[in-house]
Amino acid sequence: VQLQASGGGLVQAGDSLRLSCAASGGLFSRSAGGWFRQPAGKEREFVASIRWAGGSVDYSDSVKGRFTITRDNAKNTIDLQMNRLKLDDTGVYYCVMGFPGYYDSPADYDHWGQGTQVTVSS
């Protein structure tokens, strides 16, 4: 499976941004998908996940109510709509796919995209 993330950029606090992840070469529709992020100098942290059927999602407390994760199994994409962005949302965002035991554990995902930078300025 290959994952290609896009949509990052430089925005101001309060703005919105939409990240997209395109998957190829694997059983996309059967895999769970999600997003992690890594602020500079910090460890990777869970952002959001979505089950293969798309009916169940999870969010970190820091993004709940502001971010929305969706997937399109026909297009093999996983999107992350980010609203009301904050300075703390700055980091490299990675899309992931796999069959995790724990959806918020980075070690449980087999496939990672290359990352896309999101920078939120004041």
Side-chain angles (χ1 to χ4, degrees):
V1 176
Q2 293 183 332
L3 304 176
Q4 181 71 41
S6 61
L10 172 63
V11 296
Q12 291 188 324
D15 285 351
S16 298
L17 203 60
R18 188 176 185 89
L19 304 182
S20 185
C21 178
S24 61
L27 297 176
F28 176 85
S29 62
R30 287 287 184 176
S31 303
W35 292 88
F36 285 76
R37 68 187 180 189
Q38 187 166 20
K42 298 183 179 180
E43 295 184 352
R44 290 185 184 183
E45 59 185 35
F46 170 73
V47 176
S49 67
I50 186 167
R51 309 299 186 269
W52 71 270
S56 182
V57 297
D58 289 293
Y59 298 97
S60 67
D61 289 341
S62 62
V63 308
K64 196 173 296 182
R66 300 187 297 120
F67 291 12
T68 302
I69 186 171
T70 57
R71 68 185 294 163
D72 186 330
N73 288 340
K75 296 180 180 180
N76 287 0
T77 57
I78 298 175
D79 290 352
L80 185 69
Q81 177 66 42
M82 306 185 292
N83 298 328
R84 304 195 307 276
L85 284 160
K86 303 177 180 179
L87 298 180
D88 288 346
D89 294 321
T90 295
V92 178
Y93 282 68
Y94 298 90
C95 62
V96 297
M97 280 182 55
F99 301 91
Y102 295 95
Y103 288 94
D104 60 351
S105 171
D108 280 24
Y109 288 90
D110 298 321
H111 307 286
W112 290 71
Q114 86 285 5
T116 184
Q117 177 71 44
V118 172
T119 303
V120 183
S121 65
S122 59

